[in-house]
Amino acid sequence: MCGEDGSSWRKFPGTNRPLGSSYVGVAPLRLATSALENGVYAMKAKWISMMVGVALLIGSTWWSHAADPVPVVDGPAEQAPAPQVFQMQTANGPNARGEGQLVKLPVPEAAAFKTEEGRTGWKVTIPGGRPLTTPAVVDGVLYVGGGFGSYEFYALDAKTGKPRWTFKCGDDGPTAAVVADGCVAYNTESCTIYIQDSTNGKVLWHRWLGDPLMSQPAIGGGKVLMAYPGKGGHRLAAFALRTGKVAWDKPIAAEIISAPVMAGDFVVAATVDGTLYKFNLASGEVVWQKKHQVTSAPRVLGRQIFISQRTEKEIKLKDGDGKETSSTVTLEGLNLVSLDDGTLTHEKPLAAVKASFLLALGAQQQLYAGNAAVHFSGQGAYRMDLNAGSVLLNDVSGALGGQAKSLTERIDKFAVREPSPESTAGEKDATEALQLARDIEKLANALPDDGTNNNAGEQLKTIARDVLQTAEKTKDAAEAAAQAEQTMAATKVQQAEDQQHDASVGFSSAPEAAKLSMAAGNIGQSNVKAVWAYQGSRPCLHKGTSIMIHGPKMQAVDVKTGKVVWEHAFDFEAEATRPVTPPALAGGKLYVGTVDGRILCLDADSGKTLWQATIGGRILFEPSVAAGAVYAATADGTLICLNTSDPTADGWHMWGGSAKHNGQE
């Protein structure tokens, strides 16, 4: 976190974070000013004497206003302030305005390794052991930040892992980098965007934007785009790539999910509250904006935008006493949006799956409780119907013989078992009830229609339909409760880790500017680090299918019919709400990383696993694929280069595939 002058005023003793030169001279005055101006952060400055701070504040007002950079303003580019020009610093460490330095940073020598499956490569452990983002690999150079909370950025030789150049940022938390037109662009979580020459690291320009920055930039059409929290709310700004001149700057609802996406003359972006935007790239004009409950960065192909979309459905049923109970289930699936006017192609998302991983912990608990009540109630309801069916079957056993007797015995044995409050047992119970209902219907159809059975056949068919309907809803609710239960356990683990990361950079509580309540309500993320790392179930497009990963399941969906072409369930259990990364697509193959330390290669046409490599270390970010190698980064700070021996393994060079984040170009 930075003050508006770029000073790292949220770094305080006990966090093991560099204090920087902002703590010398008049920095305490700026700290006091920030504390007084923004009550949200006042607790972070409580070690400064209030009386001294107020007295010094009055005397230093003229200096602090002179030191503040002019904020980016909405309006024509010629009205915008000139960007700050980078000046190489001679003093050690980052300075008070976030400029940073090209310095030689310690980088361990790359070590060759061989996986248990026989695949070879190299690995480097970046100092600090922090979660690393997707590396960018362009023209034989790998670019990566030192992770959430770090001040370091690295350019390494992609073949050997040896340093090309290294950079000490002026503040912390470099995002995944984008590389295009001889420039590398990235921003820190706190609070600056950097544009550097990709060959030598020379800073072309940088700009303090706001705190926190939880998305990454995009490059296209000679511009670099970046979202930031400005005064009055979040903004999306476009800067000239090589000079930093402001082209346009527009308000948006909240932080952008992952990154803006460029396609032709337009920009599309989804914010954490679920709003989808289309901007004119040249002017910044908002062509349209729609609240579509979008849950990841979009993809654009032709005149269509592909989104992952959340929705809710209600399960209603009557219990054995006729009392209605209900619950809500959250779903996520594919939808298409018109690039022209922002209208949805489908009323509901296609191939939607249960998605408790989109909920914050409190909402998960509510989902579990509501669906647990419904599936328990349903078990009692269909038992009463089955008992009635057993009586009728006994009455017509003469016409049906041993089949009726056998089914009656099965029903009686089933009905005497007590309903189970356990989700997995409730799902199994409902599955068995569904089979009994189908068998009742089969026997009802076999009854002679000669008027001798007092309309028992129609009565049995009605009972079978009631049981089928109730049991299907019961199973649905049981599955939702079971998924919520598993997700709660994983969320608690992840949330504790994210809170530690937030606290390590001075966020004992999230700043108001982050608008995390919006993120929690739409994508279930309630920490700065969690939103910074969030990628969601982003569509990956291949031969008329959209490939998405929902939790531990990958699906390929026909974009015209909505039918599931193939499905791949990953064969492990892990304490993570999203145990598999979004896929990188190269040469007709999908490359993903997993939280149990594997890189998998799958056939994009069938979803079949072609090979896997066990590397160790949790992989949280989408891999990159370049020049026959897969590049991945782990949550404990290790960079991996894995040889594939496949010349088609190329073309997915950074997060989102390219600097425009719209797949391969």
Side-chain angles (χ1 to χ4, degrees), residues 271-290:
T271 51
V272 295
D273 69 328
T275 303
L276 186 66
Y277 289 85
K278 176 185 174 182
F279 298 88
N280 182 289
L281 177 58
S283 67
E285 173 196 2
V286 178
V287 182
W288 51 256
Q289 66 183 79
K290 304 284 184 178

Side-chain angles (χ1 to χ4, degrees), residues 26-240:
V26 296
L29 308 182
R30 297 296 297 131
L31 186 61
T33 303
S34 298
L36 290 171
E37 291 176 346
N38 191 343
V40 175
Y41 302 118
M43 293 302 294
K44 296 180 181 180
K46 63 184 180 180
W47 55 276
I48 296 179
S49 166
M50 182 62 74
M51 293 181 64
V52 172
V54 172
L56 293 176
L57 173 62
I58 296 172
S60 64
T61 298
W62 69 270
W63 184 91
S64 64
H65 284 296
D68 282 344
V70 180
V72 177
V73 295
D74 194 5
E78 59 267 18
Q79 297 178 5
Q84 300 171 16
V85 178
F86 176 82
Q87 298 293 330
M88 184 66 74
Q89 301 300 304
T90 56
N92 292 326
N95 65 30
R97 302 187 65 82
E99 285 89 345
Q101 301 179 69
L102 274 169
V103 294
K104 185 176 181 179
L105 298 172
V107 182
E109 187 173 346
F113 75 96
K114 190 173 185 177
T115 72
E116 61 186 54
E117 297 85 2
R119 295 194 174 270
T120 61
W122 59 256
K123 60 182 178 180
V124 170
T125 300
I126 299 297
R130 300 178 181 88
L132 302 181
T133 60
T134 301
V137 184
V138 177
D139 296 331
V141 183
L142 180 153
Y143 304 87
V144 69
F148 188 85
S150 81
Y151 282 74
E152 294 79 32
F153 188 83
Y154 303 86
L156 311 178
D157 187 283
K159 289 186 177 180
T160 66
K162 293 182 179 180
R164 291 286 189 92
W165 53 264
T166 55
F167 184 74
K168 188 81 169 180
C169 301
D171 41 46
D172 63 89
T175 59
V178 288
V179 184
D181 302 331
C183 298
V184 55
Y186 60 93
N187 57 279
T188 60
E189 168 271 315
S190 166
C191 325
T192 303
I193 182 171
Y194 292 96
I195 311 297
Q196 294 170 254
D197 187 300
S198 59
T199 58
N200 56 29
K202 177 184 177 182
V203 176
L204 303 177
W205 61 274
H206 76 285
R207 191 182 191 92
W208 186 93
L209 292 175
D211 192 9
L213 304 178
M214 297 178 287
S215 60
Q216 57 182 285
I219 296 176
K223 295 181 175 66
V224 58
L225 271 63
M226 187 66 214
Y228 71 97
K231 291 182 177 178
H234 276 79
R235 320 279 298 182
L236 177 63
F239 307 92

Side-chain angles (χ1 to χ4, degrees), residues 195-472:
I195 311 297
Q196 294 170 254
D197 187 300
S198 59
T199 58
N200 56 29
K202 177 184 177 182
V203 176
L204 303 177
W205 61 274
H206 76 285
R207 191 182 191 92
W208 186 93
L209 292 175
D211 192 9
L213 304 178
M214 297 178 287
S215 60
Q216 57 182 285
I219 296 176
K223 295 181 175 66
V224 58
L225 271 63
M226 187 66 214
Y228 71 97
K231 291 182 177 178
H234 276 79
R235 320 279 298 182
L236 177 63
F239 307 92
L241 177 59
R242 301 195 71 86
T243 68
K245 183 178 181 181
V246 181
W248 50 263
D249 179 16
K250 301 295 180 179
I252 53 178
E255 179 64 271
I256 283 177
I257 301 176
S258 298
V261 176
M262 296 180 173
D265 297 330
F266 300 100
V267 179
V268 292
T271 51
V272 295
D273 69 328
T275 303
L276 186 66
Y277 289 85
K278 176 185 174 182
F279 298 88
N280 182 289
L281 177 58
S283 67
E285 173 196 2
V286 178
V287 182
W288 51 256
Q289 66 183 79
K290 304 284 184 178
K291 192 70 175 291
H292 283 328
Q293 290 189 288
V294 184
T295 57
S296 70
R299 293 290 298 275
V300 183
L301 181 63
R303 306 304 298 175
Q304 292 179 312
I305 304 171
F306 296 77
I307 62 171
S308 58
Q309 183 187 39
R310 65 174 285 161
T311 188
E312 286 77 33
K313 71 173 182 180
E314 192 172 25
I315 300 175
K316 291 183 179 181
L317 57 79
K318 292 183 179 180
D319 63 18
D321 297 324
K323 181 181 178 182
E324 188 174 81
T325 59
S326 66
S327 66
T328 300
V329 178
T330 296
L331 306 171
E332 182 184 54
L334 169 72
N335 214 329
L336 281 66
V337 178
S338 167
L339 181 64
D340 297 323
D341 59 15
T343 57
L344 289 170
T345 302
H346 305 283
E347 183 180 353
K348 296 180 180 179
L350 305 175
V353 301
K354 294 179 178 65
S356 61
F357 47 79
L358 287 175
L359 304 176
L361 185 58
Q364 290 170 15
Q365 293 167 337
Q366 292 176 357
L367 183 147
Y368 172 77
N371 284 277
V374 168
H375 83 71
F376 184 76
S377 176
Q379 292 173 65
Y382 59 64
R383 272 172 170 75
M384 291 188 67
D385 285 331
L386 286 171
N387 280 327
S390 176
V391 172
L392 276 172
L393 284 168
N394 187 62
D395 291 342
V396 297
S397 59
L400 294 171
Q403 290 179 303
K405 182 178 179 182
S406 175
L407 182 54
T408 300
E409 289 174 350
R410 285 169 53 200
I411 292 173
D412 292 345
K413 185 177 180 181
F414 173 81
V416 295
R417 296 204 309 258
E418 291 292 327
S420 174
E422 298 295 327
S423 299
T424 52
E427 182 182 346
K428 183 178 179 181
D429 192 88
T431 300
E432 190 172 346
L434 286 169
Q435 187 58 56
L436 289 171
R438 294 186 189 103
D439 291 343
I440 291 173
E441 189 174 41
K442 183 177 179 181
L443 286 183
N445 289 328
L447 271 173
D449 189 16
D450 56 7
T452 61
N453 296 302
N454 296 321
N455 204 32
E458 290 303 315
Q459 293 180 62
L460 284 170
K461 289 177 185 178
T462 299
I463 288 172
R465 284 194 296 268
D466 288 345
V467 173
L468 284 170
Q469 186 181 61
T470 304
E472 284 172 351

